[in-house]
Amino acid sequence: MTQDTISPTIRTGIGLGLIALLHGLVFMVLLPQWMGEDEPWHFENVVMVSQGHGLPSDYEYTVDDWLIAPDSHLQIKRRFRGSELDGIKAQEDRILESMARKGFWRRVDWAGRSTKVNSFDGVRPHFSAAHQPPLYYWLSAPLLLIFPDAEPRFQLALVRLLSLALFVGTILLTFAAARRAFPEGPGAKLATLFLALWPMSARSAAVVSNDVLARFLVALLFFMAVHWLKAAERANDQPKSSRWWISAMLAVCALALFTKTTAASTVVIVGLAILLHPSSRKHMRGTVLALIALGGVVTAGAAAWIGAHNPGVTLSVQSNLSRLQSSFSGAELAKLRGTFVGSFNWESRAMDPDLSPYWGYTFLVLCLLSLVTLFHSRVWIDRRLLILSWGALFTQLMLMAFRGVSKGRYLMPVGPALAIILVAGLFALLPKRLHRSFALFAVIILVAFDGLFVWHGLAREAWLNWRW
């Protein structure tokens, strides 16, 4: 590959990265503090780790202990070794005071209007992020050491900078993966712009949550899998190189599992990549060993989740069946569609007018059309990469189903795979000469919808309605 062919790709990547950076900055500026879902709980975990309480505790408690402390305090003490109830209360009081100053109870409809709460239980009873895997908090805690005595909202802004960086990184990884799925035409740029301009995607650039790291790691692994599969087309692809890539993918998979359960789709991405690789049958022994190693990573991750009392994991058959039944109800599917298309004020308000049904039908049609591409080979996309994308998307949907909670942000980790599927669906029945025109039309619609969301969901709902 010559310098002339490399330079346009690099310039395009830089341009897409700048678009993501500027778009993410808009959300950082306009999203008020504590308006990211579950931000107070995630920020509390970051604070505890920054104070040296990063290791797990052997403390346990019973319901009788609720007589001496709120459940939110007890869960933190159970999670972080060396933490004391007095210190936990002091931190929650500081955060609650900051939330009150930023109008949290006025902005969030379901939270009531009374700010006289003594713990996070007064916001959402018996809820905590203490069960979450530790990696995100270990990574973000050093940022608080820069200004350890600053106000919570200022410290929150520091940690949000990490989210912005991870968002831009996710967009660049999406372009790198999409460029291999769509080596010609506008497909790679369109798939990347979808994630960069989609409002609920860019919103992750301004939220303190382990969701943003989980999303980045899934995007990283997806790119690695795509790159490895495409590299197999080269005659010089050697087994030694494959062993290196498999080891690297297993390492990223482990990191993802120690970030959040919603990143468990990485397991299927690695497994599918191993099975779809052209040498999987030729080197059967290596394939089996790789799958066994993947099983070991999964076992370690599941053991860590269970040990941390993670509610996303249950071994009860009845509970799993109940969650599945709930997830496929009409109300939960509508919630998934609404929170993926656009919601704000802690998912207590939706777009007005509600455009989510129209976007939902559009996405459904495009996904179905992508199956046409999957079963009728096209020269402009590698079928294996489309299978990999569908495997990631289907796995993410099943993870949400077994969790029993349908929210759009839980679908975001497989954003790069979803973007490739949607672009494949858009181009499925079109002659190649019309790809560029339809891609331009799609970008115009995305920009218009994003402008509507920024005005209605950020400028008006977050600020103008409250006169500040």
Side-chain angles (χ1 to χ4, degrees), residues 33-34 39 43 151-160 208:
Q33 288 91 348
W34 313 114
E39 247 185 346
F43 179 74
E151 292 185 1
R153 60 179 179 174
F154 181 77
Q155 292 181 322
L156 185 79
L158 283 177
V159 185
R160 281 183 170 185
V208 172

Side-chain angles (χ1 to χ4, degrees), residues 38 41 44 53 70 77 89 124 191 207 225 251 265 279 312 334 355 384 400 453 455:
D38 307 337
W41 287 270
E44 180 184 30
H53 304 303
K77 182 173 175 58
K89 174 176 171 51
R124 187 183 296 180
V207 174
S265 54
S279 65
L355 300 176
R384 295 174 304 165
M400 294 165 56
F453 185 95
W455 163 250

Side-chain angles (χ1 to χ4, degrees), residues 44-56:
E44 180 184 30
N45 285 358
V46 177
V47 171
M48 297 306 297
V49 174
S50 71
Q51 294 178 348
H53 304 303
L55 296 177

Side-chain angles (χ1 to χ4, degrees), residues 215-444:
R215 182 186 181 195
F216 173 81
L217 290 172
V218 176
L220 174 59
L221 185 59
F222 183 76
F223 158 71
M224 294 172 70
V226 167
H227 176 82
W228 183 53
L229 288 175
K230 293 298 290 184
E233 297 176 359
R234 300 196 299 266
N236 61 349
D237 183 44
Q238 300 296 325
K240 184 177 180 180
S241 174
S242 290
R243 287 195 293 270
W244 188 94
W245 276 101
I246 291 174
S247 299
M249 287 191 293
L250 289 173
V252 175
C253 180
L255 292 175
L257 295 181
F258 281 90
T259 298
K260 194 166 188 178
T261 54
T262 53
S265 54
T266 52
V267 175
V268 172
I269 294 174
V270 175
L272 276 177
I274 293 171
L275 295 174
L276 290 171
H277 197 272
S279 65
S280 61
R281 294 183 181 179
K282 182 179 179 181
H283 303 286
M284 185 62 70
R285 179 174 176 272
T287 299
V288 172
L289 290 176
L291 292 175
I292 291 174
L294 178 61
V297 172
V298 174
T299 302
W305 297 340
I306 294 172
H309 308 279
N310 195 305
V313 181
T314 175
L315 301 180
S316 168
V317 175
Q318 185 60 41
S319 296
N320 282 316
L321 290 176
S322 177
R323 288 180 176 185
L324 282 173
Q325 183 178 7
S326 172
S327 297
F328 290 109
S329 66
E332 286 297 318
L333 292 176
K335 183 189 298 182
L336 169 62
R337 182 190 64 207
T339 54
F340 185 82
V341 172
S343 63
F344 16 86
N345 294 40
W346 269 52
E347 298 173 338
S348 64
R349 298 190 182 186
M351 291 291 293
D352 183 22
D354 186 8
L355 300 176
S356 63
Y358 306 103
W359 278 108
Y361 295 139
T362 300
F363 289 154
L364 180 60
V365 169
L366 291 178
C367 286
L368 292 176
L369 285 174
S370 77
L371 295 176
V372 175
T373 305
L374 181 61
F375 293 111
H376 295 81
S377 179
R378 293 290 191 270
V379 296
W380 43 265
I381 187 171
D382 190 322
R383 181 181 294 183
R384 295 174 304 165
L385 302 190
L386 198 54
I387 293 173
L388 184 71
S389 300
W390 263 106
L393 176 59
F394 179 77
T395 302
Q396 199 70 29
L397 290 170
M398 293 308 300
L399 287 173
M400 294 165 56
F402 279 104
R403 181 65 177 89
V405 180
S406 299
K407 293 184 178 180
R409 56 194 167 98
Y410 296 157
L411 191 59
M412 290 298 177
V414 293
L418 175 61
I420 288 175
I421 289 172
L422 293 177
V423 172
L426 179 65
F427 293 164
L429 302 179
L430 294 176
K432 195 172 182 179
R433 69 178 185 276
L434 295 180
H435 286 188
R436 193 170 300 278
S437 297
F438 271 75
L440 178 61
F441 179 66
V443 170
I444 292 173

